């Protein structure tokens, strides 16, 4: 498994697609800081806090940017095996198809956690930089560690809700279907996040669970978590079943 992960790293390192992932981590922290600074300049009485920065970042990451960036990365990692016609060579080596796909899924999970970790570090660094010029409250190590846990927990739920896009990539052997689907889902996220039934929509429910905003919804958090788990199990089972049928 370690060799499979290393091979995926080498392939990703040699490709410009890695720049998309790096750019994806930069967009949200920069946008959140600019938004907070703009509010402070227009109204100096408005306090900028580390809590509000991370809270806004989680919203934009989990509802919009992270699903799209991660789908681009995993669609490239999987679809290039078809476009480069490397599967025929891979299938003749003593590695089972299940192990091969699980290696890719594990690598995608690592990328997801790194994506959230780098975003957390960037927000903290920008908050410290802003603190040199304007007051930033709650800028403490316990607050930062508290949101580190939230970011990583959000990464775990993002991994679970990415499985349907993995299946679409394997099914269609390309970018188009997963990208169109994740774009539609992200737009629905924006509408559904404040809806009373958002808990039944797994991509919005993930954000609500991480930020503890499930109270007042028509869906208990246990049911929302069960829906996310079911989505993950169905997605990974369908992906493995489809990949085993490849010729």
């Amino acid at each position: 498994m370690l060799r499979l992960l290393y091979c995926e790293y080498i392939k990703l390192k040699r490709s410009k697609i890695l720049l998309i992932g790096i750019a994806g981590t930069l967009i949200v922290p920069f946008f959140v800081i600019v938004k907070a600074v703009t509010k402070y300049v227009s109204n100096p009485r408005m306090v900028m806090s580390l809590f509000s920065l991370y809270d806004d970042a989680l919203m934009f990451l989990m509802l919009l940017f992270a699903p799209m960036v991660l789908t681009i990365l995993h669609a490239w990692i999987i679809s290039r095996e078809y476009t480069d016609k490397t599967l025929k060579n891979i299938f003749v080596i003593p590695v089972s198809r299940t192990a091969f796909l699980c290696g890719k899924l594990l690598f995608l999970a690592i990328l997801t956690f790194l994506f959230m970790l780098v975003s957390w570090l960037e927000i903290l660094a920008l908050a410290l930089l802003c603190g040199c010029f304007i007051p930033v409250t709650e800028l403490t190590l316990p607050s930062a560690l508290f949101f580190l846990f939230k970011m990583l927990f959000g990464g775990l739920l993002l991994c679970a809700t990415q499985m349907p896009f993995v299946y679409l990539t394997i099914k269609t052997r390309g970018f188009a279907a997963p990208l169109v689907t994740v774009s539609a889902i992200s737009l629905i996220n924006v509408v559904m996040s404040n809806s009373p039934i958002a808990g039944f929509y797994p991509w919005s429910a993930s954000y609500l669970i991480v930020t503890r905003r499930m109270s007042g919804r028509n869906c208990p958090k246990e049911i929302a978590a069960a829906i996310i788990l079911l989505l993950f199990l169905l997605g990974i089972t369908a992906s493995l079943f489809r990949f085993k049928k490849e010729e």
Side-chain angles (χ1 to χ4, degrees):
M1 185 60 71
L2 290 176
R3 289 184 179 180
L4 289 173
L5 294 176
Y6 180 71
C7 288
E8 294 297 336
Y9 166 72
I10 293 298
K11 287 186 283 188
L12 189 65
K13 184 181 178 181
R14 293 176 179 174
S15 172
K16 293 181 180 179
I17 197 72
L18 187 60
L19 295 176
I20 296 177
I22 296 173
T25 64
L26 292 172
I27 292 172
V28 171
F30 181 76
F31 175 78
V32 167
I33 291 293
V34 169
K35 176 185 173 185
V37 171
T38 302
K39 285 185 177 181
Y40 176 80
V41 171
S42 61
N43 183 10
R45 294 182 180 180
M46 186 172 293
V47 178
M48 182 190 301
S49 69
L50 189 66
F51 184 93
S52 63
L53 294 176
Y54 276 117
D55 196 51
D56 286 346
L58 276 169
M59 178 180 66
F60 288 114
L61 280 171
M62 297 199 67
L63 295 180
L64 191 59
F65 286 96
M68 298 181 71
V69 172
L70 293 173
T71 299
I72 291 172
L73 288 173
H74 87 242
W76 181 86
I77 289 172
I78 295 174
S79 66
R80 74 183 302 272
E81 302 291 356
Y82 297 102
T83 56
D84 294 349
K85 299 181 180 180
T86 54
L87 282 180
K88 292 182 179 179
N89 297 327
I90 292 170
F91 287 161
V92 299
I93 63 177
V95 176
S96 69
R97 299 189 182 197
T98 299
F100 180 73
L101 183 58
C102 287
K104 285 189 176 292
L105 295 178
L106 180 58
F107 186 72
L108 292 170
I110 293 172
L111 286 180
T112 302
F113 285 113
L114 285 176
F115 181 93
M116 299 301 284
L117 178 61
V118 172
S119 297
W120 173 80
L121 285 171
E122 288 170 352
I123 293 169
L124 181 60
L126 290 172
L128 289 170
L129 180 62
C130 288
C132 298
F133 304 97
I134 58 178
V136 180
T137 62
E138 300 172 338
L139 193 55
T140 62
L141 181 60
S143 297
L145 293 177
F146 173 76
F147 278 99
L148 174 61
F149 170 77
K150 282 185 173 290
M151 285 283 196
L152 295 179
F153 183 40
L156 178 64
L157 296 182
L158 280 170
C159 288
T161 54
Q162 282 287 302
M163 287 303 107
F165 310 128
V166 171
Y167 169 74
L168 283 175
T169 304
I170 297 172
K171 174 73 174 177
T172 62
R173 303 183 179 185
F175 275 84
L179 291 185
V180 170
T181 304
V182 75
S183 298
I185 284 174
S186 297
L187 290 175
I188 296 172
N189 270 340
V190 176
V191 178
M192 287 288 293
S193 59
N194 291 321
S195 170
I197 60 172
F200 294 101
Y201 189 67
W203 293 275
S204 295
S206 299
Y207 163 71
L208 296 175
I209 290 173
V210 170
T211 55
R212 298 181 180 180
R213 288 188 169 96
M214 287 296 295
S215 59
R217 311 283 174 171
N218 294 332
C219 178
K221 63 179 180 180
E222 293 80 9
I223 294 179
I227 292 173
I228 294 171
L229 179 61
L230 179 62
L231 182 73
F232 168 74
L233 293 175
L234 289 174
I236 197 169
T237 302
S239 298
L240 288 170
F241 179 77
R242 177 67 188 180
F243 193 68
K244 286 182 179 181
K245 291 176 63 179
E246 294 293 336
E247 298 180 357

